[in-house]
Amino acid sequence: MQDLNDMRYFAEVVEHGSFVGAARALDLPTSRLSRRIAKLEAELGVRLLNRTTRKLSLTLAGEQYVRHCVAVREEADQAHAEISRILAEPRGPLRVSCPVTLAQSVIALLIPDYLKRHPLVRLEVEVTNRVVDLVSERVDIALRVRQSLEDSGSAVIKRLGLSHGVLVASPELLRRLGRPVQPADLERFDAVGMSAQAGRIHFALIGPQGAQCQAVCRAPCVVDDLLSLLDVIKGGVGIGMMPDYMCREDIAQGRLEPVLPGWSVPSGIVHAAYLSRRGMSPAVRSFLDYLGESMGSDPEDMPTRPAPGVY
């Protein structure tokens, strides 16, 4: 039976580009490693490497074989990591950054239960809307909400769910001004938001069958905090866009009404960014697993803070 260690040795030789580099990484004598690869080629009945005094290169058979060797090595490493994870109890400091609204509405609700499960972890959460640098600021996990993950750089991404934007207004505002039927109707309404351009708020809307359009509304008020913005919308100042997990309870209790059902704004991807899967500490892994378990992929599964007076 073939020794699976030889497949790992071959993968290391190819990865390092030399027997010397691979032997150093494996902590083996170079001569022994060379003999093992020669034995492997003999057992397979095919040459895997072209050897010259200057470099090694893969034969056609070697190119095909190394893919399987790498897969075997990664599976073995993953199996070992899983056992180590089971045996190693999460402990020590864990630094997390999180946007303000996500922290206030979702993450703060999850922290007590997580710490009950893992009492040896010391959780440090920085609540900020700025983009943190994972390396220079020594942050283990950055929680983010973005419409695209293309600008995540070299960070590893774990998707946690979707945040759908919902256009909402107070019932009083809609009784006074009527209910818009199509996107163009929004332009006779005032709107409130976190930012405006030249006193106007622009809503990029997606409708049935992927139809897209923009609505532009006068902005009598701009508030750069979502929880405060929610109160302004409920107060009838104007129409606004809120993440669904923040306004679900107010809609259910009749304090807000959806505007233009069938039309929405682009969804935000709730995700965790971290540096590497390899060498991940048990504390980091446990927190990522807990978030994945608790938040789910469906926004309806995402925990939310009840509105004031609702328990």
Side-chain angles (χ1 to χ4, degrees):
M1 181 178 178
Q2 182 180 336
D3 189 337
L4 296 182
N5 283 323
D6 291 340
M7 298 182 73
R8 170 182 283 276
Y9 295 161
F10 180 61
E12 292 289 338
V13 169
V14 174
E15 183 172 291
H16 288 84
S18 71
F19 283 94
V20 173
R24 187 180 299 115
L26 293 166
D27 196 23
L28 291 174
T30 304
S31 57
R32 180 183 172 189
L33 181 59
S34 180
R35 287 195 302 271
R36 293 294 292 264
I37 300 303
K39 175 175 172 289
L40 176 64
E41 290 178 315
E43 290 175 348
L44 294 173
V46 65
R47 181 176 290 277
L48 301 173
L49 291 168
N50 293 315
R51 300 165 174 81
T52 68
T53 56
R54 293 186 176 181
K55 65 177 183 177
L56 299 175
S57 62
L58 287 167
T59 65
L60 180 60
E63 290 178 353
Q64 297 174 346
Y65 189 68
V66 73
R67 292 197 293 268
H68 299 286
C69 293
V70 170
V72 167
R73 182 185 64 180
E74 291 180 348
E75 286 294 328
D77 289 344
Q78 182 64 27
H80 186 272
E82 289 294 330
I83 295 300
S84 298
R85 182 175 67 87
I86 293 171
L87 295 176
E89 184 176 3
R91 65 179 64 236
L94 174 61
R95 298 199 65 211
V96 177
S97 73
C98 183
V100 174
T101 304
L102 185 64
Q104 294 173 342
S105 301
V106 178
I107 300 303
L109 303 179
L110 300 177
I111 289 175
D113 183 56
Y114 170 77
L115 291 177
K116 287 177 183 177
R117 297 188 188 192
H118 305 292
L120 299 182
V121 173
R122 189 173 73 254
L123 189 58
E124 303 172 11
V125 181
E126 180 182 1
V127 179
T128 176
N129 288 330
R130 67 182 181 84
V131 179
V132 302
D133 186 297
L134 294 168
V135 177
S136 65
E137 300 183 54
R138 299 182 180 179
V139 172
D140 297 303
I141 300 170
L143 300 178
R144 296 168 178 166
V145 184
R146 294 180 179 172
Q147 291 183 7
S148 171
L149 301 180
E150 295 178 356
D151 59 348
S152 298
S154 60
V156 181
I157 298 300
K158 179 181 179 69
R159 293 173 63 118
L160 300 171
L162 290 176
S163 169
H164 296 298
V166 182
L167 279 176
V168 290
S170 71
E172 182 274 329
L173 178 71
L174 297 177
R175 282 193 298 269
R176 178 161 44 90
L177 298 179
R179 286 168 173 76
V181 177
Q182 55 189 355
D185 295 340
L186 292 178
E187 300 193 3
R188 62 186 175 86
F189 287 80
D190 287 342
V192 293
M194 297 185 70
S195 63
Q197 299 174 13
R200 296 288 187 270
I201 289 178
H202 297 249
F203 294 114
L205 301 174
I206 302 173
Q209 287 79 51
Q212 298 184 22
C213 72
Q214 281 221 358
V216 182
C217 305
R218 191 181 74 89
C221 180
V222 174
V223 183
D224 66 355
D225 171 72
L226 279 174
L227 282 175
S228 301
L229 183 64
L230 180 62
D231 288 333
V232 172
I233 297 172
K234 288 192 290 185
V237 175
I239 288 174
M241 188 282 293
M242 294 298 299
D244 56 349
Y245 64 85
M246 288 190 64
C247 61
R248 192 182 305 144
E249 190 68 38
D250 284 309
I251 291 174
Q253 297 296 324
R255 289 181 289 271
L256 287 174
E257 292 187 23
V259 175
L260 286 180
W263 290 84
S264 64
V265 297
S267 299
I269 304 168
V270 184
H271 60 283
Y274 55 102
L275 288 176
S276 174
R277 292 188 179 92
R278 300 188 69 175
M280 184 186 298
S281 74
V284 170
R285 186 179 296 279
S286 68
F287 194 66
L288 289 171
D289 289 347
Y290 181 77
L291 292 179
E293 167 194 331
S294 302
M295 296 176 70
S297 59
D298 189 328
E300 290 295 328
D301 296 334
M302 195 176 294
T304 57
R305 183 182 300 280
V310 179
Y311 301 97

